[in-house]
Amino acid sequence: MAASNVSIRDISTKSEAVQEITFSKVGQIRAINRRMRILALNALIEAERAGAAGRGFAVVSQEVRGISEEVEKLSTALEAELANEIGQISTLVQEMSEGSQGQRLVDLALNAIEIVDRNLYERTCDVRWWATDSAFVDALSSPSEDAFNHAARRLDVILRAYTVYLDLWLCDLNGNVVASGRNNRYPAIGTNVASRPWFKSGIGLRSGDDFHAEDVAREPILGNALVATYATPVRVGGEASGRPIGLLAIHFDWEPQADTIVRGVRLSDEERENSRVLIVDRGGRILAASDGRGVLTERIDNLGRDVSGWSFRNGSQLIAHHLTPGYETYQGLGWRGVIVQNFDALR
């Protein structure tokens, strides 16, 4: 388990050892007491045989039996009291262990979603910056095959420098892709994407300072790859206040980037074998998973509306989560970092 839990585990181990030693000593006292009772009984029998000469010895024997009974009562009471105290200590240690690990996993979940936020913030900067490129403004202002080809070459240059994208598309106001950075690999030019949610939301943005961030989805034109698409209009003169003349859409290659993040969370080897690190959307749908399972098909329900928290499910399944805090001008999409851990396997 984590280094932060070593001392707690130590306390738990020592508590168990103290309990074992204590009950062992109480058991020894009881064993000695039983021998005293047998001796007292034997002495009483012999005193009866001795008749009048043994009466004094009989009195002593009775006293020994009385003391034995008192010792038995004390040992029983001691055992019960110690069992209660040790039980309380064990419960406290358990609560401390759970609380420590729960908060640690919350912190790791936050770290994961913060890395996602910072990464996606850069995508929002890219799309707003590139939408002002003169090659794109000219191609949409004065449409021609040469202008579109020039824009496509410019998109290709950007893609070679920014390897986190699958493709970049320049679209006209009707949603037709007029230029693409990788048309040889992903034939997009000439297709209409007006029905895509990111186009519908992006084309209506009021200012060049605005952008639309779409939830992770599979894009058929890009080989059904998982992408996070960012869009903003290209405007007259490349000015933030200019009239929209088209749209730039950039497709972030989500799967490998997200996989690096969820697999890079600081867990021990033992924890990694018993944990799933996830990124989920606002509805709990899994967008990335350290074990590669359930992406876009599985949900983690009932995380609540709190910014963060942890809880147990099904007895030993510890679930910790943290809501996206956003980064700079990127407010996030309500995503969460989540860690699901088999807590019992790590005790």
Side-chain angles (χ1 to χ4, degrees):
M1 189 170 281
S4 61
N5 276 345
V6 170
S7 59
I8 293 174
R9 179 182 283 180
D10 235 13
I11 293 170
S12 180
T13 301
K14 288 178 180 178
S15 173
E16 291 173 2
V18 168
Q19 181 176 358
E20 184 177 343
I21 291 170
T22 300
F23 290 151
S24 174
K25 296 301 182 185
V26 171
Q28 291 176 27
I29 292 171
R30 283 181 163 174
I32 293 170
N33 200 35
R34 283 194 296 271
R35 290 168 60 191
M36 285 178 62
R37 283 184 180 180
I38 292 170
L39 288 172
L41 179 60
N42 289 337
L44 187 59
I45 293 170
E46 291 301 322
E48 285 292 330
R49 286 180 181 175
R55 286 174 185 170
F57 197 55
V59 172
V60 174
S61 176
Q62 290 287 5
E63 286 296 321
V64 170
R65 289 185 66 183
I67 292 170
S68 175
E69 288 173 359
E70 290 182 16
V71 170
E72 179 65 25
K73 289 177 182 179
L74 286 172
S75 63
T76 300
L78 176 63
E79 183 178 41
E81 186 174 341
L82 288 174
N84 180 57
E85 293 295 329
I86 292 172
Q88 290 182 21
I89 292 172
S90 298
T91 299
L92 179 60
V93 169
Q94 175 70 14
E95 290 174 353
M96 289 172 62
S97 178
E98 292 174 358
S100 174
Q101 184 67 347
Q103 187 55 53
R104 175 174 175 271
L105 295 187
V106 167
D107 292 342
L108 290 176
L110 170 60
N111 181 252
I113 197 64
E114 281 185 323
I115 295 173
V116 170
D117 283 346
R118 288 196 294 271
N119 207 313
L120 297 186
Y121 165 71
E122 293 176 6
R123 312 291 69 87
T124 72
C125 296
D126 291 346
V127 71
R128 287 176 288 179
W129 170 32
W130 297 337
T132 65
D133 192 296
S134 60
F136 309 149
V137 174
D138 292 345
L140 293 171
S141 299
S142 303
S144 69
E145 185 175 350
D146 286 345
F148 292 153
N149 287 339
H150 178 60
R153 287 193 296 271
R154 177 63 182 155
L155 292 172
D156 176 62
V157 169
I158 295 173
L159 282 172
R160 282 189 275 117
Y162 291 81
T163 58
V164 296
Y165 294 103
L166 277 179
D167 207 354
L168 314 177
W169 296 346
L170 188 64
C171 309
D172 65 18
L173 287 174
N174 295 317
N176 298 306
V177 179
V178 297
S180 165
R182 289 181 175 149
N183 200 63
N184 290 336
R185 185 185 305 179
Y186 307 113
I189 295 175
T191 60
N192 187 279
V193 293
S195 63
R196 300 292 199 274
W198 50 262
F199 184 87
K200 293 178 179 179
S201 298
I203 201 65
L205 294 172
R206 295 182 178 180
S207 164
D209 295 325
D210 299 329
F211 62 89
H212 173 72
E214 186 68 23
D215 267 334
V216 174
R218 295 195 180 276
E219 173 51 59
I221 298 174
L222 299 175
N224 219 32
L226 283 171
V227 293
T229 300
Y230 289 75
T232 196
V234 176
R235 299 176 183 273
V236 171
E239 298 293 333
S241 59
R243 173 178 55 84
I245 53 177
L247 186 88
L248 178 66
I250 64 175
H251 302 292
F252 181 60
D253 191 5
W254 169 256
E255 196 162 13
Q257 319 306 326
D259 190 62
T260 298
I261 293 171
V262 294
R263 290 180 184 273
V265 169
R266 297 188 303 275
L267 295 172
S268 68
D269 291 341
E270 184 184 12
E271 284 182 305
R272 204 172 299 281
E273 292 176 2
N274 292 280
S275 305
R276 296 180 77 195
V277 181
L278 312 169
I279 303 298
V280 305
D281 67 13
R282 66 177 67 83
R285 182 182 59 157
I286 293 177
L287 302 177
S290 58
D291 59 2
R293 296 187 291 108
V295 176
L296 297 190
T297 61
E298 183 184 344
R299 292 182 184 275
I300 304 297
D301 295 320
N302 302 319
L303 292 177
R305 296 187 178 184
D306 291 340
V307 171
S308 65
W310 61 270
S311 61
F312 279 95
R313 295 185 186 177
N314 303 321
S316 64
Q317 192 179 65
L318 175 57
I319 298 182
H321 60 92
H322 203 294
L323 180 67
T324 167
Y327 186 77
E328 299 289 346
T329 56
Y330 177 70
Q331 298 303 310
L333 298 172
W335 296 0
R336 289 179 185 268
V338 178
I339 300 179
V340 181
Q341 188 172 89
N342 181 0
F343 186 71
D344 278 355
L346 300 171
R347 297 191 207 198

